[in-house]
């Protein structure tokens, strides 16, 4: 089929016997309520049979896996897959997920680039001194061997941004078979990626796409050895005690500016950290802490963000995310409730940019907090919303804890050392680096391989 903007695309399940069009299909609509796709939802029996097939399957040799992932990267970025060109794919993701199309296009290239380097990322995670094979000559005198903790890996994927789909293919590099449950909010990226991997040579019983309803979702995790789940605080709580599941929740990423750092020279970095990539990610800045009075920074930040126009997501100049009007109104009401008692510099009377077609832009919000320990600093919302608070040396690290990324704009090396040693801070960037910056080979929330692999001693004759 040839993809067009108006055609309804069939997104079949991709099971161990090939594509499967289920009787139970979900209509996927864009932000204005127009039909864009039909997503096949598979029953528990289909999930069970597919996972059993993945358990029975073997894995290709390591060099084969690396070669196939490299070919998949090229196909994902350039090929017509499921009838969609790369540009048609980007349009669909933008209209359905509300992500600015410039972000989708950039992420398309970024996912392909990360796939090409997936084996390097995996190698970077392997402990120094450990080897990959039991029959490595070094095991004759005793060596740690890096091995999988299981064979089948399940993924409940994210829908707020296509970027997280660059991560789970690392499991294929390691020899896992992978089953992905796509988000109903944005199923196009995982469908395109699994299709590309199969076209590149992975067998149907090595990587699968299993859309399900909510009642069947846990069957995917139960049938796999290990799982990766994206979601909010409720998801983190649900799986916190399960060692077989890696939950990925809110990032609450932050920026700290100490007194000697002139924020004026870093305003571009702060604006980018808040609003870059649509401002929807766990690596976007949620809170900015300023040693001193934050009012001037708030005013400048609000002025810059207020100047951004409200545009539909497929407009190349769009910056902010778009959602159905009812969803956007609910998020606005939630913001106004949570912001009670703060000083609003932007968004205090609402954040909606009504596009007149049943959708609305989620515009930026800037609120000043009275103290670093204010609870709003931990509130993460799926649009550019930033809480700006004063910070002092006496306040210490407590307000900065529980951050996926913390950008420290400071000359204080002692403070940086403390931040790096703080267990609840995932990543520390020093200087003018946006919190959403990511590099292939560097850990995001730790290396995924830290969860998927373990070391065991092998000593042999």
């Amino acid at each position: 089929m040839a993809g067009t903007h108006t055609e309804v695309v069939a997104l079949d399940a991709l099971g161990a016997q090939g594509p499967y069009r289920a009787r139970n299909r979900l209509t996927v609509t864009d932000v204005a309520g127009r039909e864009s796709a039909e997503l096949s939802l598979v029953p528990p029996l289909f999930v069970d049979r597919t996972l059993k097939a993945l358990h029975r399957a073997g894995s290709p040799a390591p060099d084969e896996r690396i070669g196939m992932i490299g070919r998949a990267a090229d196909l994902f970025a350039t090929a017509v897959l499921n009838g969609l060109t790369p540009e048609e794919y980007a349009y669909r993701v933008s209209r359905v997920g509300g992500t600015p199309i410039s972000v989708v296009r950039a992420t398309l290239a970024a996912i392909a680039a990360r796939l090409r380097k997936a084996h390097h990322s995996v190698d970077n995670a392997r402990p120094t001194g450990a080897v990959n094979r039991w029959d490595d000559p070094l095991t004759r005198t005793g060596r740690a061997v890096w091995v999988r903790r299981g064979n089948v890996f399940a993924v409940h994927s994210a829908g707020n941004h296509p970027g997280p789909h660059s991560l789970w293919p690392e499991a294929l590099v390691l020899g896992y078979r992978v089953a992905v449950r796509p988000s109903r909010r944005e199923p196009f990226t995982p469908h395109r990626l699994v299709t590309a991997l199969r076209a590149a040579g992975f067998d149907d019983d090595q990587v699968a796409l299993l859309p399900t309803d909510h009642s069947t979702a846990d069957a995917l995790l139960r049938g796999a050895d290990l799982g990766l789940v994206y979601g909010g605080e409720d998801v983190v709580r649900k799986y916190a005690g399960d060692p077989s599941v890696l939950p990925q929740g809110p990032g609450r990423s932050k920026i700290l500016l100490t007194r000697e750092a002139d924020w004026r020279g870093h305003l571009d970095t702060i604006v980018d950290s808040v609003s870059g990539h649509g401002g929807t990610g766990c690596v976007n800045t949620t809170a900015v802490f300023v040693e001193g009075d934050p009012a001037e920074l708030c005013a400048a930040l609000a002025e810059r963000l207020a100047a951004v126009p409200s545009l539909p997501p497929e407009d190349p100049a769009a910056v902010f995310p778009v959602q159905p009007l009812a969803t956007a109104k609910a998020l606005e009401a939630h913001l106004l409730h949570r912001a009670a008692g703060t000083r609003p510099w932007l968004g205090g009377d609402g954040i909606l940019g009504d596009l007149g077609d049943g959708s609305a832009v989620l515009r930026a919000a800037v609120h000043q907090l009275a103290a670093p320990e204010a609870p709003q600093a931990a509130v993460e919302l799926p649009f550019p919303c930033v809480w700006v608070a004063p910070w002092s040396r006496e306040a210490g690290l407590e307000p900065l804890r529980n951050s996926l990324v913390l950008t420290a704009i400071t000359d204080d090396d002692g403070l940086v050392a403390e931040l790096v040693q703080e267990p609840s801070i995932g990543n520390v960037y020093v200087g003018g680096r946006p919190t959403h910056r990511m590099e292939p080979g560097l850990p995001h929330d730790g290396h995924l391989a830290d969860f998927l692999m373990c070391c065991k001693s092998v000593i042999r004759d």
Side-chain angles (χ1 to χ4, degrees):
M1 57 175 272
T4 69
H5 290 344
T6 57
E7 202 169 84
V8 176
V9 177
L11 296 177
D12 296 339
L14 301 174
Q17 304 299 320
Y20 172 74
R21 189 159 301 176
R23 292 181 182 177
N24 183 16
R25 294 196 286 271
L26 172 76
T27 299
V28 178
T29 56
D30 72 5
V31 290
R34 290 187 289 265
E35 245 182 274
S36 183
E38 276 194 341
L39 179 66
S40 285
L41 301 180
V42 298
L45 181 60
F46 189 94
V47 172
D48 181 64
R49 287 176 174 171
T50 301
L51 291 174
K52 285 179 177 176
L54 267 61
H55 278 289
R56 290 192 300 268
S59 295
D63 288 347
E64 282 185 74
R65 301 195 297 259
I66 292 168
M68 288 189 291
I69 289 175
R71 291 194 294 276
D74 294 336
L75 292 168
F76 181 78
T78 64
V80 177
L81 298 172
N82 196 40
L84 301 180
T85 66
E87 185 54 32
E88 174 66 14
Y89 152 79
Y91 178 88
R92 298 272 177 164
V93 172
S94 178
R95 284 298 304 171
V96 168
T99 305
I101 197 166
S102 62
V103 174
V104 181
R105 289 169 177 156
T107 306
L108 176 71
I111 291 174
R114 185 154 182 166
L115 288 177
R116 294 185 189 104
K117 296 181 178 179
H119 58 293
H120 294 304
S121 298
V122 166
D123 283 344
N124 285 350
R126 178 164 52 91
T128 301
V131 296
N132 283 315
R133 296 172 55 93
W134 73 269
D135 56 356
D136 188 292
L138 293 172
T139 59
R140 293 191 181 280
T141 55
R143 207 71 170 189
V145 179
W146 207 39
V147 297
R148 293 190 300 273
R149 293 179 57 214
N151 291 306
V152 175
F153 183 49
V155 180
H156 283 196
S157 62
N160 62 315
H161 192 286
H165 289 287
S166 66
L167 182 62
W168 60 258
E170 291 181 8
L172 290 171
V173 177
L174 294 166
Y176 277 87
R177 278 78 73 198
V178 179
V180 180
R181 177 181 182 260
S183 167
R184 297 178 176 205
R185 181 175 168 187
E186 198 280 275
F188 292 99
T189 300
H191 195 283
R192 183 176 182 84
L193 184 49
V194 172
T195 301
L197 288 162
R198 289 182 168 201
F202 281 99
D203 290 338
D204 294 349
D205 58 5
Q206 290 164 2
V207 58
L209 185 90
L210 299 176
T212 72
D213 59 22
H214 290 297
S215 63
T216 307
D218 277 348
L220 185 62
L221 295 175
R222 288 194 301 269
D225 298 311
L226 297 172
L228 172 66
V229 179
Y230 290 89
E233 201 61 55
D234 55 334
V235 168
V236 174
R237 285 194 299 268
K238 179 178 179 179
Y239 295 106
D242 188 342
S244 70
V245 177
L246 178 64
Q248 299 282 280
R252 300 189 178 93
S253 297
K254 303 175 181 68
I255 293 176
L256 170 66
L257 296 105
T258 54
R259 193 176 303 279
E260 74 279 5
D262 185 351
W263 61 263
R264 294 167 186 82
H266 298 282
L267 185 59
D268 287 348
T269 296
I270 300 169
V271 171
D272 186 23
S273 294
V274 172
S275 62
H277 297 273
T280 63
C282 56
V283 289
N284 283 106
T285 295
T286 296
V288 177
F289 293 88
V290 181
E291 189 175 19
D293 186 354
E296 283 190 77
L297 171 57
C298 287
L301 190 54
E303 181 180 10
R304 287 280 297 273
L305 292 170
V308 177
S310 294
L311 296 170
E314 73 275 16
D315 191 304
V319 173
F320 294 148
V322 176
Q323 285 294 297
L325 185 58
T327 303
K329 285 182 175 179
L331 286 167
E332 180 183 62
H334 181 69
L335 167 68
L336 296 177
H337 171 70
R338 298 303 297 262
T342 70
R343 180 182 178 182
W345 287 87
L346 184 64
D349 54 356
I351 52 158
L352 299 191
D354 194 333
L355 293 175
D357 64 350
S359 68
V361 177
L362 291 166
R363 298 189 54 78
V366 179
H367 288 258
Q368 183 178 341
L369 306 179
E373 64 272 13
Q376 289 91 345
V379 175
E380 181 173 297
L381 295 171
F383 60 91
C385 175
V386 62
W387 314 92
V388 185
W391 179 84
S392 66
R393 303 290 169 144
E394 291 72 27
L397 298 191
E398 184 60 35
L400 309 175
R401 291 192 168 105
N402 301 308
S403 305
L404 177 57
V405 183
L406 191 143
T407 288
I409 301 175
T410 181
D411 294 333
D412 187 340
D413 289 348
L415 176 60
V416 172
E418 289 184 65
L419 296 172
V420 171
Q421 290 299 319
E422 167 54 42
S424 70
I425 297 175
N427 308 293
V428 176
Y429 301 164
V430 182
R433 292 166 175 81
T435 53
H436 60 65
R437 179 172 176 175
M438 295 176 64
E439 298 288 341
L442 294 180
H444 167 59
D445 191 0
H447 286 292
L448 179 60
D450 294 340
F451 173 70
L452 296 176
M453 305 293 281
C454 65
C455 283
K456 60 176 63 177
S457 294
V458 173
I459 306 172
R460 65 189 180 95
D461 294 333

